[in-house]
Amino acid sequence: MTQLENFKHSIQMGLITGAIVLSACLIGIVESFDQRDVISEILSLGQVMLYIAAPIIAFIVAQKQKSVVNRVIHGVLSGAVAAVPTFLLILLSLWWTSIRDAFVNVSPALIEIITVQNPEAPVIGGLTLIALFAGLSLIGIGATFLSKPIRQALMNGLGWTMIVGLMTEILVNVLRPRLSRETMDWLFGRSGINLTPALILVVGLTLYYYWWAQGGKEQSAKFRENLPPPVRTWGGRTLWLLLVPIVMILPSFLGVYLTEILNIVGLYILMGLGLNIAVGLAGLLDLGYVTNFAVGAYLMAIFTSSSEYGLTDPFSFWTALPICILAAMFTGFIFALPVLRMRGDYLAIATMGFGEIIRVLARSDAMAWLIGGAQGILEIPKASIGGSMASIFGSILSPINNFLAQWDLFILQVDGGQIIFGKPPQLFYLVILACLLMLFVSRRLNESATGRRWMAIREDEDVAAAMGINTTNAKVVAFTLSAASGGLAGAIFAAKLGSIYPTSFQLLISINVLSLIIVGGIGSLPGVVVGALALIGIPELLREFAEFRLLFYGVALIVMMLVRPEGLWPSEAQRRELSSDHGNLSQPNATGV
Amino acid sequence: MSQRLNYIDVVLWLLRIGIIGIVLWGTFAKLFLGVGNDYSVGNWIDFFISGLSQGSLYALIALGYTMVYGVLFMINFAHGEFFMAGAMTTTVLVALPLEEAGYINEFPFLSLLAIFITAMLVSVGVALLTERIAYRPLRRAPRLVPLITAIGASFFWQYFFRGLYGSSLVPFPEFDIFDGKYDFGFFDIQKTDVVVLGMSLLMLVGLQLLVQHTKMGLAIRAVAEDKDAATLMGIDVDRTITMTFAVGAAMAGVAGVLFAIVFRQLNFIMGFTPGIKAFTAAVVGGIGSIPGAAIGGLFLGIIEAVGPPLFLEGLGIPGSHQLKDVIAFTMLVLVLIFRPQGIIGEVLSEKKA
């Protein structure tokens, strides 16, 4: 490349970055994330999102240059150019005073951020922004001189510190009753962590990651291998067993709000595990999964509600639950029959069509006599255990609760001879039980002959049929079993909310569930859990995200497919397949076979 | 592929007979037993014409689906968003300022020209960005992968434009020239319907000429037939695919403005339902075929408009007009099940089966 082309390239890259920065400003991300601090009163998430562009693009551009001078020139150039579109926005807002009529998010607050807190002199402020971007790009340029392991360790350290900063509110909630006031004041500011602990965190995490990359991984593996055999096996098992009490006290430890989020995540894990059977194992892209969820929820409502749409003699939650699951399976079966012969994208669109039909029907007057139309069904009782079962549970639970009370902790509580799964900390146990059950079932299915048949169909349907697999039956079974978990989630959902409306059963649910299994790693059970925590949990935690949640979903789906199609936590089979695809022959096969 | 189990066939036959039975019984009950409201001939013509105008909108959007499917064999799930992007942007940035300045009724044709051109440019821009980022790198990936990125792109654009222009409804300005109707005695036609029909017809004919009689059209057809052979003939496949996206998106932009003229209320979610319906239209007509998209669009529009008062009301279903989406989606599923090649598309689906 000639010198001129080099400059053109740097400016081009800068402008592309600038366009992204400008979009982030225009659609309101920068402004609404400015309200959440990463480091108390010094750095907000909005500022991070705005300023991070400069070092990143400077790094990318500078990396291509050899000499130090060129790196600095091109890096600073592209970094500064990245601020130019935003600067133009400032100029535009001066000339076009009613810009907010068109672009609703160009608010005074945004102008204040992009003029670097200098809204009275916007042009000077804008120039400051350009200068700031140029200055920040030096960080990116500096990073090109570091060796790769150090750089990666540093990135990990900064990244995790930022996440900890974002989670401040939760950490404060959890830690306040357990730490002294002085410690809390030292750790956390009014919003976000304080600078000193943040720096300590960055340094510590960076060192840890560096050590881990420079042989720490091998060292710890060797340490584990050198333990005497009984310690090794029993140590591992004890760690797993320790998880049980930790999970049991989780709700009281985390508090009502976080437990509620965990419950929502749990419901999505349930649905994700179900959909995973169809999409992950059998390779049937089902975009109408919400149907099963709706069937479970509506049947639970009809069987247990004491309103006019319920039975005259309502069932209990526990009687209705198996009916809901069976009904969802039946729906899955019925809907599977006509679409079985389709493949790939046609199947996806047809199932989406089913989902939409169900939603429109649920909302319409035509079905209102049965399921209440747009008004939905109210007065669904909470799930509860009463009678002798409750007293048996009570006699087991109350000593544990009394014991835990000294740390302000508790587990499932028996209240007036009844266990009511109403409040989030109580419902948590129901959700986690359902999740564990489904995890167990999915795991067994994964390893069963049926599971292997599904995987064969996923890889190549014609070959599977040629191998003597009855593909029709296997697919019907996949759809049917996949629906069960959706029905279970729906039933719990109905009992959790106490009232259901057709608006709860949008296509969005199907997309959410599909996204989480893709982001987690198609076909991988831990992937479902990770995906649900990442896609459902994090947006629930960061309420500013709510408005942009689907924007980030979209980005996550695209980026995931482009960069990491195997997902965050891929299944063992996928991992092996992908590593063999890359022709990684120099390293011996990890499984040793 | 031979099936060992025939219960699927039994189910499919039952489904066929059931659907035909329902439609026939509903129609019979409506026409001869007089169930539901009593409609005059003029009413029926009204239903038909509104269906025709709605259907021509579907047809315009469906072109984008069908052309992209023709060359790439992928369902461009984000196409409805291209439609929305053009309509929203032109309304907020061109139409409303023009209205404020009073130009809308002073220079209606120039204003319309500006509105249409902006919409087309924005739709094309959004489409090309999507193609470049979300589709092109994945051209060799399994077919489900671009479908997933398309879903992602769809959500991204919806919420991107929601962020830009807000989530409230944006009104499209009222044009005096579109106000009123033509009276034909026992029925009348809204001027907006005439505009929509005329404009759609113009675009369809123009596109057909473009594809059949220009170098670019030849390249598009060649790429649709066989990408590798097209490359050997010296056709720049990437560029042709880009052009295909651009042409489809331009049609979506025009459809967006027409939609705005008819419904006059826009928001960021407006692309979803028309997008799905248009996809249905493309499938009904035979995906991959341009005349198919036109026929499918009109067919779907008419069925949607005439179906609820005809056979749904005949079955005695309350609030039958709420169920027009059910008719569209049912048709989508039925066509996918029974005739995935659509009304006139045959060759393409054979190739891709």
Side-chain angles (χ1 to χ4, degrees), chain A residues 157-229:
Chain A
L158 286 171
W160 282 107
T161 308
M162 199 177 106
I163 290 173
V164 171
L166 291 179
M167 302 286 158
T168 304
E169 210 174 326
I170 299 134
L171 289 174
V172 169
N173 259 339
V174 172
L175 294 177
R176 182 168 292 141
R178 293 171 182 87
L179 291 177
S180 72
R181 226 197 125 97
E182 290 74 40
T183 329
M184 288 299 289
D185 283 346
W186 181 76
L187 282 173
F188 301 107
R190 256 193 314 156
S191 53
I193 41 181
N194 279 329
L195 189 58
T196 330
L199 285 178
I200 294 173
L201 205 57
V202 171
V203 173
L205 283 168
T206 307
L207 286 177
Y208 166 74
Y209 273 103
Y210 188 67
W211 168 77
W212 186 253
Q214 297 296 309
K217 200 174 173 182
E218 287 78 22
Q219 269 179 38
S220 66
K222 204 175 277 172
F223 174 75
R224 242 175 289 147
E225 263 167 44
N226 287 339
L227 290 173

Side-chain angles (χ1 to χ4, degrees), chain A residues 488-507:
Chain A
L488 174 61
I492 298 178
F493 176 77
K496 169 179 179 288
L497 283 192
S499 51
I500 54 170
Y501 307 96
T503 43
S504 308
F505 307 104
Q506 311 261 9
L507 174 70

Side-chain angles (χ1 to χ4, degrees), chain A residues 282 453-461 464 469 471 474-475:
Chain A
R453 263 179 234 134
W454 289 332
M455 285 180 240
I457 293 174
R458 178 185 71 195
E459 296 309 323
D460 192 321
E461 200 176 326
I469 293 170
T471 54
K475 281 164 143 188

Side-chain angles (χ1 to χ4, degrees), chain A residues 356-379:
Chain A
E356 287 294 284
I357 291 173
I358 293 293
R359 182 181 62 82
V360 179
L361 278 181
R363 204 185 47 193
S364 71
D365 292 346
M367 299 286 282
W369 57 275
L370 181 64
I371 56 174
Q375 269 72 50
I377 302 181
L378 311 176
E379 294 169 49

Side-chain angles (χ1 to χ4, degrees), chain B residues 82-105:
Chain B
F82 306 163
F83 160 86
M84 173 273 294
M88 285 288 281
T89 308
T90 198
T91 305
V92 173
L93 295 187
V94 180
L96 290 176
L98 281 177
E99 186 195 30
E100 210 169 305
Y103 291 151
I104 286 273
N105 291 319

Side-chain angles (χ1 to χ4, degrees), chain B residues 176-246:
Chain B
D176 285 346
I177 46 167
F178 298 148
D179 209 17
K181 42 184 131 184
Y182 298 109
D183 203 345
F184 287 89
F186 61 99
F187 73 98
D188 40 30
I189 303 179
Q190 300 284 337
K191 278 187 184 171
T192 47
D193 285 344
V194 177
V195 174
V196 171
L197 271 171
M199 194 71 192
S200 311
L201 198 67
L202 200 71
M203 297 311 283
L204 282 168
V205 172
L207 184 69
Q208 186 67 9
L209 290 178
L210 179 88
V211 171
Q212 296 298 335
H213 298 285
T214 62
K215 266 246 163 83
M216 194 179 104
L218 188 64
I220 291 178
R221 279 181 291 145
V223 171
E225 202 66 42
D226 188 329
K227 278 192 209 51
D228 296 329
T231 315
L232 291 176
M233 295 297 117
I235 292 170
D236 184 344
V237 172
D238 271 343
R239 203 172 150 263
T240 310
I241 290 173
T242 309
M243 288 314 295
T244 314
F245 269 91

Side-chain angles (χ1 to χ4, degrees), chain A residues 177-468:
Chain A
R178 293 171 182 87
L179 291 177
S180 72
R181 226 197 125 97
E182 290 74 40
T183 329
M184 288 299 289
D185 283 346
W186 181 76
L187 282 173
F188 301 107
R190 256 193 314 156
S191 53
I193 41 181
N194 279 329
L195 189 58
T196 330
L199 285 178
I200 294 173
L201 205 57
V202 171
V203 173
L205 283 168
T206 307
L207 286 177
Y208 166 74
Y209 273 103
Y210 188 67
W211 168 77
W212 186 253
Q214 297 296 309
K217 200 174 173 182
E218 287 78 22
Q219 269 179 38
S220 66
K222 204 175 277 172
F223 174 75
R224 242 175 289 147
E225 263 167 44
N226 287 339
L227 290 173
V231 177
R232 202 164 66 207
T233 48
W234 283 103
R237 280 175 209 171
T238 322
L239 278 181
W240 278 108
L241 279 177
L242 268 179
L243 264 181
V244 176
I246 289 176
V247 168
M248 294 295 272
I249 59 162
L250 212 51
S252 52
F253 186 73
L254 293 178
V256 174
Y257 174 60
L258 285 180
T259 312
E260 171 65 11
I261 292 175
L262 273 188
N263 288 342
I264 298 171
V265 171
L267 288 181
Y268 273 97
I269 291 177
L270 273 182
M271 287 194 274
L273 288 171
L275 188 61
N276 190 42
I277 295 176
V279 180
L281 296 184
L284 306 162
L285 187 54
D286 182 352
L287 283 180
Y289 197 70
V290 66
T291 316
N292 309 316
F293 185 62
V295 167
Y298 268 108
L299 277 184
M300 178 54 79
I302 289 171
F303 281 122
T304 63
S305 166
S306 47
S307 71
E308 53 183 311
Y309 300 107
L311 301 178
T312 40
D313 190 14
F315 291 176
S316 80
F317 174 84
W318 305 103
T319 327
L321 188 63
I323 306 179
C324 293
I325 297 174
L326 285 177
M329 288 170 78
F330 184 68
T331 332
F333 172 71
I334 291 292
F335 280 169
L337 291 180
V339 299
L340 275 183
R341 291 189 185 159
M342 298 175 195
R343 287 185 190 185
D345 38 11
Y346 272 29
L347 180 79
I349 299 291
T351 48
M352 188 186 74
F354 280 141
E356 287 294 284
I357 291 173
I358 293 293
R359 182 181 62 82
V360 179
L361 278 181
R363 204 185 47 193
S364 71
D365 292 346
M367 299 286 282
W369 57 275
L370 181 64
I371 56 174
Q375 269 72 50
I377 302 181
L378 311 176
E379 294 169 49
I380 306 164
K382 308 283 179 208
S384 62
I385 301 174
S388 54
M389 277 298 272
S391 56
I392 295 171
F393 271 112
S395 58
I396 303 169
L397 291 173
S398 52
I400 306 178
N401 271 328
N402 289 339
F403 173 69
L404 288 172
Q406 49 182 314
W407 298 288
D408 279 337
L409 297 173
F410 53 87
I411 55 174
L412 195 57
Q413 280 173 325
V414 184
D415 199 21
Q418 265 198 325
I419 303 174
I420 302 169
F421 296 100
K423 291 197 193 100
Q426 296 281 89
L427 190 70
F428 175 81
Y429 296 98
L430 186 62
V431 173
I432 197 109
L433 190 71
C435 283
L436 287 176
L437 183 76
M438 272 316 293
L439 268 171
F440 176 73
V441 171
S442 302
R443 206 188 141 98
R444 300 301 296 171
L445 276 175
N446 258 348
E447 292 157 3
S448 70
T450 320
R452 288 199 299 276
R453 263 179 234 134
W454 289 332
M455 285 180 240
I457 293 174
R458 178 185 71 195
E459 296 309 323
D460 192 321
E461 200 176 326
D462 293 332
V463 173
M467 299 302 286

